[in-house]
Amino acid sequence: MTKGGTKARSQYRCSECHHVTLKWVGRCPECGTWGTVDEVPVLSAVAGSAARRTVAPASPAVPISSIDPGRTRHFPTDVAELDRVLGGGLVPGSVTLLAGDPGVGKSTLLLEVAHRWACAGKRALYLSGEESAGQIRMRAERTGCTHDDVYLAAESDLSTALGHIEAVQPGLVVVDSVQTMSTTEADGVTGGVTQVRAVTTALTMAAKTSGVAMILVGHVTKDGAIAGPRSLEHLVDVVLHFEGDRTSSLRMVRGVKNRFGAADEVGCFLLHDNGIEGVADPSGLFRDQRPKPVAGTAITVTLDGKRPLIGEVQALIGAAANGTPRRAVSGIDSSRAAMITAVLDRHAGLAVASRDVYLSTVGGMRMTDPSTDLAVAVAIASSVMDLPVPAGTVAIGEVGLAGDLRRVTGMDRRLAEAARLGFTSAVIPPGVTSVPAGLRAFSADNIASALRLLRDISKDRLRPLR
């Protein structure tokens, strides 16, 4: 019984999805997360009214115009591609979560960030729960990232890590990784849901109170999602995904959440044995450099976030062995490739449905943007007819099941990137009115007319839009 004769009851609530049950369960029946159901008291109406009594705030609310915007000013890391994704740099008191597959280069990138930070006259602290200080020093020597203002500590206990932050007084703290940190004030095993939530909450509070910029390294599951509770992404200010193929040196940092800038920027890097470097103009990585065009290739402009990238599609068409056609696709969505093949067979009069189709991109690029449909169709048609696409031509557009061409977003940025890189012709869907200087744009209503345009562009008898 509570004061005043009010009886307190209990219920159980999931900290992830806030689903309420009357009894405790190990796994939430709503979201399926383990270990997130906790007991919370439920008071009667009398006690509830008492709980709603007002409390004088410690600091009064102030007009938004009186708050100094300089308190959230970005400080560049001097890693240009990372600053691009962050919106200009790191904000004091902010917490950034960088997640990626094992071995993709997260530690190498952050050691470079700490080194650049120290070279700018600011102190950085690198806390590692996965490697010893000697191992980190070996990497630093290999990548040229040794500096006296970069402090190292191999620590997995949260309280000791917070003590290092207080003793060093850095401007930047890197925690590698948050799943290896543990605290005695929370139950569960290291890396579990409860431990990760408690550690992240404590580190976030330390960053906010001390004004230090903090970067947390996060592990990912086999599905590519960030390991740990979903609330981990809500606690931090910035969430970045570090992506890359082990067979390629190309790495991409993709913004997923950013409270201080755009959340759809992409930064490109090349990972080498002696470190990592940013690529300011990555378009050349995704297309072959050849003296003259060959059949079975097509160039397009895709958007990755806000960034336009030039990409090349290669196609090879062969006779089906044993009467069963084969489809082999690399870097392109297989379902869209099958759909485009069917459209070409039905609406363009190309007999490709019964033949082997091999499709690939250059440089390990992944084309998930529907705007690449036309380039895929053009590459297939070019291989079937053994007719090269005219040099300096790009194909941009989404292909519908009826063979029609549809406009895509960001067409002005795509065409501007093509013109900047020296392309002279573009085959696009109808409706585009503004074309950059030096670029001829030809519109096509459907896939058949687009293929006819490409055959005629080399004869220079067409009248472009501009």
Side-chain angles (χ1 to χ4, degrees):
M1 300 291 290
T2 59
K3 183 178 179 180
T6 302
K7 183 179 180 180
R9 296 180 290 113
S10 294
Q11 65 181 11
Y12 299 87
R13 181 185 302 160
C14 175
S15 59
E16 290 293 315
C17 64
H18 303 292
H19 177 71
V20 177
T21 61
L22 297 179
K23 62 179 182 179
W24 183 87
V25 291
R27 183 180 184 182
C28 174
E30 183 69 20
C31 65
T33 308
W34 288 93
T36 58
V37 179
D38 301 314
E39 182 179 3
V40 292
V42 179
L43 302 179
S44 65
V46 177
S49 61
R52 287 193 294 267
R53 289 178 297 187
T54 61
V55 177
S59 59
V62 296
I64 189 173
S65 58
S66 65
I67 299 176
D68 182 14
R71 297 172 60 184
T72 56
R73 184 169 62 90
H74 292 83
F75 285 85
T77 65
D78 288 337
V79 180
E81 288 298 295
L82 182 61
D83 289 338
R84 174 193 182 103
V85 182
L86 292 172
L90 293 170
V91 176
S94 66
V95 180
T96 301
L97 176 64
L98 178 67
D101 292 328
V104 74
K106 302 184 297 296
S107 301
T108 303
L109 173 62
L110 294 182
L111 191 59
E112 178 73 21
V113 171
H115 174 71
R116 298 286 185 91
W117 188 270
C119 290
K122 295 169 284 189
R123 190 172 296 178
L125 173 62
Y126 195 106
L127 297 172
S128 177
E130 300 179 347
E131 300 175 287
S132 66
Q135 290 174 310
I136 301 173
R137 172 61 191 268
M138 289 176 59
R139 183 189 297 115
E141 290 181 345
R142 176 171 54 85
T143 59
C145 294
T146 55
H147 197 283
D148 290 340
D149 280 336
V150 177
Y151 289 74
L152 303 179
E155 190 57 62
S156 60
D157 180 70
L158 175 63
S159 300
T160 308
L162 295 176
H164 280 298
I165 297 175
E166 186 176 350
V168 176
Q169 294 291 315
L172 170 66
V173 175
V174 177
V175 179
D176 187 6
S177 66
V178 68
Q179 278 84 5
T180 60
M181 289 285 173
S182 62
T183 175
T184 57
E185 298 181 0
D187 299 328
V189 297
T190 302
V193 172
T194 306
Q195 282 284 335
V196 171
R197 183 188 300 110
V199 168
T200 306
T201 302
L203 291 174
T204 302
M205 184 61 65
K208 302 300 181 186
T209 55
S210 63
V212 61
M214 190 171 296
I215 302 178
L216 309 179
V217 176
H219 295 168
V220 295
T221 63
K222 61 181 181 181
D223 298 325
I226 299 177
R230 189 68 177 178
S231 58
L232 178 63
E233 300 178 49
H234 295 283
L235 289 172
V236 300
D237 301 304
V238 181
V239 178
L240 306 177
H241 277 272
F242 200 24
E243 306 170 356
D245 191 350
R246 288 181 178 271
T247 61
S248 172
S249 61
L250 178 66
R251 299 293 185 266
M252 287 191 175
V253 175
R254 191 181 308 276
V256 178
K257 170 188 175 182
N258 193 349
R259 290 173 177 165
F260 312 109
D264 55 355
E265 285 286 359
V266 176
C268 296
F269 296 86
L270 286 178
L271 183 65
H272 304 295
D273 292 337
N274 57 351
I276 192 169
E277 63 173 337
V279 182
D281 192 2
S283 292
L285 301 174
F286 303 122
R287 59 191 179 107
D288 278 347
Q289 305 292 336
R290 55 177 67 92
K292 61 180 181 179
V294 297
T297 63
I299 307 294
T300 187
V301 186
T302 181
L303 278 183
D304 202 335
K306 292 183 177 180
R307 191 168 197 165
L309 298 175
I310 298 291
E312 180 174 327
V313 181
Q314 297 183 344
L316 177 63
I317 310 300
N322 301 324
T324 303
R326 183 182 180 186
R327 303 287 185 265
V329 179
S330 175
I332 302 170
D333 184 65
S334 58
S335 60
R336 296 199 69 86
M339 182 267 291
I340 295 170
T341 302
V343 170
L344 286 173
D345 189 89
R346 175 66 176 83
H347 298 286
L350 297 179
V352 293
S354 59
R355 304 178 66 177
D356 290 343
V357 178
Y358 302 88
L359 288 171
S360 178
T361 60
V362 174
M365 186 179 191
R366 294 192 59 84
M367 294 186 179
T368 58
D369 191 352
S371 66
T372 61
D373 289 353
L374 182 56
V376 174
V378 168
I380 295 175
S382 173
S383 179
V384 171
M385 297 183 292
D386 195 22
L387 182 65
V389 177
T393 302
V394 295
I396 308 170
E398 180 182 358
V399 176
L401 289 176
D404 56 314
L405 295 185
R406 305 169 183 168
R407 289 185 60 186
V408 294
T409 60
M411 184 62 77
D412 54 343
R413 277 179 288 168
R414 300 173 195 265
L415 295 178
E417 179 70 4
R420 185 183 70 85
L421 293 176
F423 290 90
T424 57
S425 303
V427 177
I428 56 177
V432 178
T433 58
S434 178
V435 178
L439 184 69
R440 302 184 304 168
F442 304 93
S443 64
D445 295 326
N446 51 62
I447 186 64
S449 61
L451 296 181
R452 287 194 298 268
L453 278 174
L454 288 168
R455 282 197 299 263
D456 295 338
I457 284 177
S458 58
K459 301 177 182 178
D460 201 20
R461 295 183 306 180
L462 300 175
R463 183 179 180 182
L465 298 178
R466 288 295 176 92

